[in-house]
Amino acid sequence: MSDRVQVVVVGAGPVGCVAGMLLARQGIDVMLVEKGEDCAADMRASTFHPPTLEMLEQLEITPRLIERGLKAPVYHWRDRRSGEVLAFDLTEIADATRHPYRIQCEQYHLSRMLAERLEETPNAEVLFNHRLVHFSEDDNGIDLALETPMEIRRVRADYVIAADGASSIVRKWLRAEFDGFTYPEKFLTLSTDEPLEESIPGLAHVNYVADPDEWLVLLKVPKLWRVLVPTFDQSDNDVLTSDANKDAIFERLIGHGEDVRTFHRTIYRVHQRVAKSFRHGRVFLAGDAAHLNNPLGGFGMNSGIHDAFNLTEKLLPVLQGRGGEEALDRYDRQRRTVTHDFTQQQTIQNMELMKAGQGEAYRMMRDQMRALIANDEARRTYLLRQSMITSVRDAAAIK
């Protein structure tokens, strides 16, 4: 016997939880399945951009994120060698958004808020410790097999939304092409309660620190500073996360590395990849399952949430018998095009600026940022792009 549901959402991260909630609140029968015991406490994503905050107002969750997080209207591009600071202020584009700031708040807070709400929704079911192991599609629906600690559970669904992350099992089962590249360096994220602002006066909540030898990202979340550094050292991860390496990083940054206490030290690889198609019949890829990019700019989680809003807007009329499936192909066109034209290009450009090489390349990077900050029109265009307002507008214009 199989359980019957309209939509199965695979993955209880921010993208999956948003998609599930958007459908459930419109009366769609939803099953959210997650292989882990809880929403993953992933430390990678912590920035919510203005259009994302506007979208999440539909779920009445934005005020809770604002209350829990930190408002960051200003972010810095910093030259580590010279100490030069260029400040970008999102209040300059307050005419374009109700939220002219970023909210710094770890992504798992959003996931848990929505998962808890889904568990209280009669037409929704949240299943942790359920791992998708197989699915097959026919003309009328999809059969899925979910592995639990005790059994294999069978489910019949009309559609599946794959929001199961970078290593998506759904994408692998589909054998979907996932074109792009992987950066040669490893990335190390450390979190600390060390008051970095006392050692580096004038820090914003968001700081991109350019340096050809060791660039950095310094992000403040409510209780901690998060430090992202690249490493070309191919040593074992245990070496890269060791006390000795931690001490050396903070010694270079603030001058007393041994005194710094950290709570997380995580190594990961960074990819720039996009699935060739976001729609495969009755299965849709969203978030990291569909596209991956480097973390500079904070676009990954936000673009995934934008996927969820775009897709569910088109899927709802089909599920409710009010529209045909042709709109579902538009999801693929809109989100995949914007991913290629904006998210991928902008994150690659941001990375190049951060690690500009020696000599002339480094001077060109510095001069480019100075010219940008001095030109009102160019700076506004840049702020609209970096805040992701432009990408949302561009997607909506694609027919």
Side-chain angles (χ1 to χ4, degrees):
M1 296 292 292
S2 296
D3 294 318
R4 189 70 176 87
V5 67
Q6 288 177 281
V7 178
V8 170
V9 181
V10 185
V15 178
C17 289
V18 166
M21 195 70 244
L22 285 168
L23 293 171
R25 68 195 295 269
Q26 295 295 327
I28 303 302
D29 293 328
V30 174
M31 180 181 288
L32 177 66
V33 301
E34 166 59 46
K35 65 182 180 181
E37 296 180 356
D38 195 356
C39 300
D42 194 325
M43 292 297 294
R44 296 191 196 185
S46 61
T47 292
F48 291 85
H49 283 294
T52 308
L53 295 169
E54 292 186 1
M55 292 177 187
L56 291 172
E57 288 176 348
Q58 296 180 36
L59 298 178
E60 301 174 343
I61 209 76
T62 299
R64 294 182 65 184
L65 290 174
I66 293 173
E67 180 182 4
R68 185 178 291 271
L70 296 176
K71 278 188 179 181
V74 176
Y75 62 94
H76 289 169
W77 281 90
R78 290 171 168 261
D79 186 322
R80 191 173 185 181
R81 291 188 171 186
S82 69
E84 182 176 15
V85 178
L86 301 177
F88 292 89
D89 189 345
L90 290 171
T91 61
E92 293 184 30
I93 56 170
D95 60 324
T97 176
R98 294 186 294 277
H99 301 283
Y101 42 78
R102 298 178 177 190
I103 290 295
Q104 295 300 112
C105 179
E106 297 93 335
Q107 68 173 29
Y108 61 82
H109 291 300
L110 173 64
S111 302
R112 285 174 175 167
M113 289 176 192
L114 292 178
E116 289 172 3
R117 189 182 296 179
L118 276 168
E119 288 177 324
E120 298 171 356
T121 303
N123 54 300
E125 190 173 8
V126 179
L127 301 175
F128 292 107
N129 287 315
H130 280 64
R131 184 171 69 95
L132 176 65
V133 291
H134 186 262
F135 66 90
S136 60
E137 178 180 343
D138 57 41
D139 291 342
N140 300 310
I142 303 175
D143 292 306
L144 303 96
L146 307 175
E147 182 184 46
T148 78
M150 302 300 295
E151 63 178 348
I152 298 294
R153 183 170 178 177
R154 306 287 180 178
V155 178
R156 176 75 172 175
D158 295 324
Y159 295 95
V160 170
I161 298 175
D164 52 337
S167 299
S168 169
I169 189 65
V170 177
R171 189 186 65 240
K172 293 174 182 177
W173 272 112
L174 291 169
R175 297 184 180 178
E177 295 184 46
F178 203 41
D179 298 332
F181 65 91
T182 299
Y183 284 97
E185 59 263 49
K186 295 180 180 180
F187 290 72
L188 170 62
T189 299
L190 308 104
S191 64
T192 179
D193 59 359
E194 179 73 18
L196 299 183
E197 67 277 12
E198 294 181 6
S199 298
I200 310 174
L203 276 183
H205 289 331
V206 180
N207 306 270
Y208 302 105
V209 186
D211 186 352
D213 295 327
E214 185 184 55
W215 57 264
L216 297 161
V217 180
L218 306 176
L219 299 175
K220 187 74 166 66
V221 292
K223 296 180 180 180
L224 300 169
W225 278 99
R226 296 178 56 199
V227 180
L228 172 69
V229 296
T231 174
F232 286 94
D233 188 341
Q234 297 302 311
S235 301
D236 290 341
N237 289 355
D238 289 344
V239 174
L240 298 176
T241 58
S242 66
D243 287 344
N245 193 42
K246 180 272 294 183
D247 293 349
I249 289 169
F250 284 102
E251 188 70 29
R252 292 190 294 270
L253 182 62
I254 59 175
H256 50 92
E258 291 185 4
D259 300 331
V260 174
R261 176 175 62 169
T262 59
F263 297 89
H264 303 88
R265 303 179 195 176
T266 305
I267 292 286
Y268 59 96
R269 304 306 296 256
V270 170
H271 312 272
Q272 297 280 164
R273 297 186 182 276
V274 182
K276 190 172 182 178
S277 176
F278 290 8
R279 182 189 181 190
H280 297 259
R282 292 176 173 270
V283 180
F284 303 91
L285 303 179
D288 285 355
H291 47 80
L292 297 170
N293 55 265
N294 77 63
L296 300 185
F299 300 141
M301 174 189 65
N302 287 268
S303 61
I305 292 174
H306 298 179
D307 291 345
F309 274 87
N310 188 299
L311 173 57
T312 55
E313 178 184 53
K314 295 169 176 58
L315 190 55
L316 271 169
V318 178
L319 290 164
Q320 295 171 340
R322 298 184 291 106
E325 290 198 355
E326 61 276 2
L328 301 177
D329 287 329
R330 194 176 175 208
Y331 162 71
D332 175 71
R333 290 196 300 274
Q334 288 182 330
R335 294 307 305 161
R336 188 162 47 84
T337 300
V338 166
T339 298
H340 275 293
D341 293 352
F342 169 74
T343 307
Q344 294 289 308
Q345 291 184 16
Q346 195 64 51
T347 53
I348 291 172
Q349 180 182 339
N350 288 347
M351 180 76 87
E352 291 172 349
L353 284 171
M354 292 287 283
K355 62 177 186 180
Q358 305 285 342
E360 184 62 26
Y362 194 72
R363 287 192 293 272
M364 288 178 64
M365 177 276 294
R366 184 182 57 201
D367 291 345
Q368 178 181 344
M369 297 305 291
R370 285 175 175 170
L372 183 62
I373 203 76
N375 185 303
D376 290 348
E377 183 176 353
R379 189 175 65 253
R380 178 179 174 83
T381 299
Y382 177 78
L383 288 171
L384 289 170
R385 283 182 62 81
Q386 290 289 332
S387 65
M388 303 188 77
I389 292 172
T390 297
S391 72
V392 172
R393 291 174 177 176
D394 288 349
I398 298 170
K399 301 303 181 183

